[in-house]
Amino acid sequence: MIKGFKRGVDCIEVVCGTTNKAYGDYVAKLKINNKGEYFVTCQCSPRCPLDSVTLEEFEKHAFKEGSGRWKSNIWVHYENEDRVPLWKTPLLKYYTHQANVANWKDAALRKRNFHRDEFVRCSRCKKERRFRLRSRPEIKEYHDALHNKSWTCSLWPYQKITCNDEEERPSLRASRGCPRASTCRGCLSCYCKGCIKCRFEDCNCQECRDFMLYAEP
């Protein structure tokens, strides 16, 4: 029996993971629905924002970007055997390539206009909190927090936290989701200087005003 195996009405769920030689195991939950779509929710830390992403994105989050060998890199636990790669398990019989095409296309489109994760410092405790910039609403939350000089941990949008909660480990903060290199500090692949996705008509900050006035259509 695979560890963490659960059967729902329209999906199955198992515990999975991948191993980074420098940082250890990244444990997650793999959900496979009745359409054959694969979704991974990372549990590498209590407040990891990686939720319902593709297998490829989970690889990159674990510092294994560029390999694309998720069938070998992602493993599950059996009762009598640890770290069995997916290709050796019966789970692959549920995998339908056509069903996952939309997921891969969505990931590819995000790369074309990619916004890496950013951090906002609490005005009270000075701890940094991660913001995941994958959608326009998420970017707006970060944008508002960044321009709020009295922003505190209690306003973090993902879940209820306080200043007493620990911030992410430095090794995790180094990974900001760049599609080129996980520890990238800013490149053309992940750093956006301004686009319609991250600039807002109803915002009065200088960046948004300049973009709306001078950006080319």
Side-chain angles (χ1 to χ4, degrees):
M1 177 67 71
I2 298 176
K3 183 178 180 181
F5 180 84
K6 295 180 182 178
R7 184 182 296 276
V9 176
D10 58 357
C11 68
I12 63 171
E13 186 179 283
V14 299
V15 173
C16 71
T18 188
T19 302
N20 179 285
K21 292 181 179 179
Y23 300 108
D25 291 347
Y26 284 68
V27 179
K29 284 186 178 180
L30 171 62
K31 182 179 290 186
I32 309 170
N33 64 22
N34 55 11
K35 296 179 182 179
E37 294 174 316
Y38 279 41
F39 297 100
V40 181
T41 297
C42 185
Q43 298 179 325
C44 64
S45 69
R47 296 177 182 84
C48 178
L50 213 68
D51 182 41
S52 297
V53 300
T54 65
L55 296 156
E56 184 184 42
E57 287 178 297
F58 176 54
E59 273 190 302
K60 290 175 179 176
H61 177 64
F63 297 76
K64 300 180 81 70
E65 74 287 344
S67 60
R69 298 175 62 243
W70 57 265
K71 292 181 183 179
S72 298
N73 288 333
I74 297 177
W75 42 254
V76 296
H77 286 299
Y78 275 84
E79 289 181 348
N80 57 351
E81 190 175 358
D82 283 344
R83 295 181 179 83
V84 179
L86 282 180
W87 71 269
K88 287 186 176 182
T89 73
L91 291 172
L92 279 188
K93 75 179 182 181
Y94 296 102
Y95 183 80
T96 304
H97 176 74
Q98 190 62 35
N100 286 276
V101 166
N103 291 340
W104 300 119
K105 283 184 177 178
D106 286 345
L109 287 172
R110 284 196 294 273
K111 289 177 190 175
R112 293 177 193 171
N113 196 20
F114 191 87
H115 294 79
R116 66 181 183 176
D117 296 350
E118 298 288 355
F119 292 85
V120 173
R121 189 182 297 276
C122 175
S123 61
R124 186 175 300 162
C125 68
K126 309 305 180 185
K127 292 175 182 175
E128 291 187 324
R129 304 300 184 185
R130 181 187 295 266
F131 280 73
R132 187 167 179 261
L133 313 185
R134 299 296 182 272
S135 67
R136 187 169 169 82
E138 286 179 328
I139 294 174
K140 186 66 165 66
E141 289 173 338
Y142 164 72
H143 190 80
D144 292 344
L146 184 66
H147 291 88
N148 181 359
K149 294 182 179 179
S150 59
W151 188 88
T152 60
C153 295
S154 62
L155 299 174
W156 198 52
Y158 301 102
Q159 65 186 77
K160 186 177 179 65
I161 63 171
T162 68
C163 291
N164 293 326
D165 289 284
E166 293 296 325
E167 62 183 347
E168 284 188 28
R169 301 193 309 270
S171 59
L172 289 177
R173 287 206 305 272
S175 176
R176 298 173 72 170
C178 174
R180 184 186 64 83
S182 57
T183 56
C184 173
R185 296 186 178 181
C187 69
L188 294 177
S189 297
C190 69
Y191 180 73
C192 180
K193 294 182 179 179
C195 70
I196 195 62
K197 192 176 179 181
C198 63
R199 296 292 182 257
F200 304 93
E201 290 184 30
D202 58 351
C203 178
N204 291 320
C205 76
Q206 191 66 47
E207 292 91 345
C208 289
R209 284 195 310 229
D210 288 347
F211 179 84
M212 294 302 169
L213 285 172
Y214 305 117
E216 296 181 3

